[in-house]
């Protein structure tokens, strides 16, 4: 009925709290009180043993809460025992149970003065030494842990970006850091329970003594001496039986907060750190000298010196022995794990061993910080969180070569020299600088690797000088931007929808699965990214998609309808608002040919006849040459727009292709060229 151990624990905790409350208000018989006192001692001993065997403080993260329950339980027992002592104490010292009687008679010999002194000493040790020290350590640990929390989170993010951690490992480490902060904060508060419990113990003892003397002499007609012999012995026994478990818990709390984060048991730490012969040998010599001093206990000191000497000799002998050989490697299992197959990272940067200094933490790892900045910048520009970049060394590569893979595909490669600088050549170079000639891996510009001592000379000569981390980072930046659509998956789009739901719940509901399946929405978002439309303003894009999906679900029509509604976003990325939008237009005859080809094969990626496509590419290339490097776009009807973009991209032309319906009415337009006008080499419409 409870549904397993968790269900039983869930029912046990409320029952335990209820039992603690009942102990405070309901009288209980002495035998049951004995059972509870023994249980209290058992609980304190178990908690102490758990602390001693914990590898790290967080292994017993429930200690503050358990300490609260144990303290409440002990105080409830004090209330219950006080009631029994004051009500039935006149019947004899066993009226409050055998446990209190044993602590009052056997441990202190029935002498309540000795018991009071022992109790006072225990209180001083607990309150002034252990509890105060543990409280101070808890306070400082909590403060330092909270101060270090942002730095630890940043370190985890850096390791995640560098590919040293998987997302699951990073999540687990973040949870551990948060749990550590909560634990030390709770321990800081739990130390107050220990101090309050000690103060309550003193007050309860005084109440038992004064109340017992008054009740014994007034209510039961006992003499002062007889009342003292009965009530004071039981009061001191009651105080000791509660204070000893409290002392054990204080010791456990002090041990827990003074533990380091080293992942070993306390026993192993102490054994390892005390296993130093150079510490035991001087101690043995000093004890031996003290044994020779007159009036000193020679036998005891000599025995201690001999023991320390034997320990030092054994440790020195063990240190001189060769280390045992490592165990033979186990035979490889016949089964293959899924983790051995494939690459889990979406983006991988493989480097030769000569480039390892660029990712070495001892050298500052300049490439890793550059990759983190690139991911952050591109994520802001594109509108979704780019996946981590896994950096690893590859022995198959040449020492100074690197290779970039995106979604398992080889996206690019290049070379870099960690001890040199790359000088990019401009159009005009005053005086060439000596170096190894090469080409910039990102854009193919002529360049050369030069000695860092020649940097100032190269800058004066007109070169643009960059460091090797920037070379690789720029190449990675370009490839990530080019393959942004590949990196956008179902999970990323779902994350966009979740964020949209928090800010614009009605809009997110309008774009739910009933309106557009997640797979189709992902394909549409990828199509926008492919043509350079970022998802940064996803709320506006989502609104456009929701409006377009109300009239059509055809993927091609949905894409064009969405682009029409966000035309302002598209054109603003091509030219500044205060500048005219420079366009390359298509001649009506050519546009008619292209429209006819699309209608004949509406689902084809390249519906154009090869000869026609080649002529269009050449004509556009010539128009771009006349543009003189200005930002331009090709404009056409919505039908052939997407196939035209594919055609130009396959020819290596990175040119935006927009539809007439995407042009805002308020935007100034300048047509700088018309492709196909007066070009008789193009097929005529009747020949198509």
């Amino acid at each position: 009925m409870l549904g397993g151990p968790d269900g039983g624990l869930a029912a046990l905790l409320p029952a335990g709290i209820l039992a603690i409350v009942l102990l405070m208000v309901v009288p209980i018989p002495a035998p049951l009180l004995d059972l509870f006192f023994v249980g209290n001692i058992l609980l304190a001993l178990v908690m102490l043993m758990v602390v001693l065997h914990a590898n790290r403080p967080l292994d017993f993260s429930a200690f503050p809460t358990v300490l609260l329950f144990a303290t409440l339980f002990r105080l409830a027992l004090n209330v219950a025992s006080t009631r029994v002592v004051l009500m039935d104490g006149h019947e004899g010292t066993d009226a409050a149970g055998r446990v209190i009687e044993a602590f009052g008679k056997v441990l202190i010999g029935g002498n309540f003065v000795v018991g009071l002194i022992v109790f006072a000493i225990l209180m001083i040790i607990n309150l002034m030494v252990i509890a105060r020290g543990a409280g101070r350590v808890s306070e400082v640990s909590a403060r330092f842990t909270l101060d270090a929390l942002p730095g630890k989170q940043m370190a985890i993010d850096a390791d995640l970006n560098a590919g040293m951690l998987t997302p699951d490992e990073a999540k687990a480490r973040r949870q551990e850091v948060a749990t550590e902060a909560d634990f030390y904060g709770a321990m800081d508060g739990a130390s107050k329970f220990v101090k309050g419990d000690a103060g309550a113990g003193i007050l309860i003892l005084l109440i038992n003594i004064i109340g017992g003397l008054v009740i014994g002499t007034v209510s039961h007609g006992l003499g002062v001496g007889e009342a003292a012999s009965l009530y004071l012995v039981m009061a001191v026994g009651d105080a000791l039986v509660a204070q000893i478990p409290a002392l054990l818990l204080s010791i456990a709390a002090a041990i827990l907060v003074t533990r380091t984060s080293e992942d070993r048991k306390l026993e192993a730490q102490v054994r390892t750190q005390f296993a130093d012969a150079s510490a035991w040998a001087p101690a043995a010599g000093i004890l031996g000298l003290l044994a020779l001093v007159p009036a000193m206990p020679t036998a005891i000191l000599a025995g201690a010196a001999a023991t320390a000497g034997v320990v030092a000799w054994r440790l020195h002998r063990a240190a001189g022995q060769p280390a045992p050989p490592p165990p033979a490697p186990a035979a490889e299992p016949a089964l293959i794990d899924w983790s051995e197959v494939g690459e889990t990272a979406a983006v991988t940067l493989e480097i030769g061993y000569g480039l390892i200094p660029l990712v070495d933490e001892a050298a500052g790892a300049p490439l890793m910080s550059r990759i983190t900045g690139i991911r952050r910048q591109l994520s802001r520009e594109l509108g979704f969180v780019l996946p981590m970049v896994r950096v690893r060394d590859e022995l198959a590569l040449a020492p100074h070569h690197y290779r970039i893979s995106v979604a398992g595909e080889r996206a690019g490669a290049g070379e870099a020299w960690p001890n040199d600088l790359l000088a990019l050549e401009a159009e005009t170079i005053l005086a060439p600088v000596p170096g190894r000639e090469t080409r910039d891996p990102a854009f193919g510009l002529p360049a050369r690797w030069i000695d860092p001592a020649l940097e100032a000379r190269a800058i004066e000569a007109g070169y643009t000088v960059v460091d090797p981390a920037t070379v690789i980072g720029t190449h990675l930046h370009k490839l990530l931007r080019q393959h942004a659509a590949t990196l956008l998956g179902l999970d990323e789009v779902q994350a966009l929808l979740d964020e949209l739901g928090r800010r614009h719940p009605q809009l997110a509901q309008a774009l739910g699965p009933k309106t557009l399946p997640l797979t189709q929405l992902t394909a549409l978002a990828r199509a926008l990214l492919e043509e350079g439309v970022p998802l940064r303003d996803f709320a506006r894009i989502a609104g456009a998609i929701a409006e377009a999906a109300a009239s059509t679900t055809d993927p091609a029509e949905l894409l064009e309808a969405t682009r029409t509604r966000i035309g302002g976003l598209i054109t603003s990325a091509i030219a500044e608002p205060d500048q005219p939008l420079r366009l390359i237009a298509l001649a009506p005859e050519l546009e008619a040919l292209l429209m006819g080809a699309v209608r004949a094969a509406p689902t084809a990626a390249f519906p154009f006849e090869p000869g026609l496509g080649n002529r269009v590419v050449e004509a556009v290339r010539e128009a771009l040459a006349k543009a003189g490097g200005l930002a331009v776009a090709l404009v056409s009807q919505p039908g052939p727009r997407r196939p035209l973009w594919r055609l130009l991209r396959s020819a290596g032309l990175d040119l935006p292709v927009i539809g007439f319906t995407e042009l805002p009415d308020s935007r100034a337009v300048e047509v700088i060229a018309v492709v196909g006008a007066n070009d008789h080499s193009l097929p005529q419409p009747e020949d198509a």
Side-chain angles (χ1 to χ4, degrees), residues 97-117:
R98 301 296 299 276
V99 174
I100 292 179
E101 182 184 19
F103 274 81
K105 285 187 174 181
V106 177
L107 294 186
I108 59 176
N111 191 331
F112 63 85
V113 177
V114 175
L116 288 174
I117 295 174

Side-chain angles (χ1 to χ4, degrees), residues 309-400:
V310 171
V311 172
W313 175 75
R314 292 178 64 88
L315 291 176
H316 180 75
R317 181 181 177 184
Q321 294 179 352
E332 294 187 1
L335 298 179
I336 301 177
D337 189 80
W338 278 103
S339 62
E340 303 178 34
V341 182
E343 175 59 55
T344 58
V347 184
T348 304
L349 173 60
E350 299 171 308
I351 59 175
Y353 67 85
L355 299 179
I356 291 180
L358 295 179
V359 298
D360 186 8
E361 292 185 0
L367 182 57
M368 306 312 299
S369 59
R370 187 61 54 87
I371 291 175
T372 302
I374 289 171
R375 286 189 62 232
R376 181 175 292 110
Q377 176 187 354
L378 281 178
S379 297
R380 291 173 180 171
E381 293 177 359
L382 298 176
F384 69 98
V385 179
L386 289 178
M388 68 177 183
V389 179
R390 176 70 55 83
V391 181
R392 65 183 185 185
D393 59 322
E394 178 56 62
L395 297 178
L397 289 175
H400 297 94

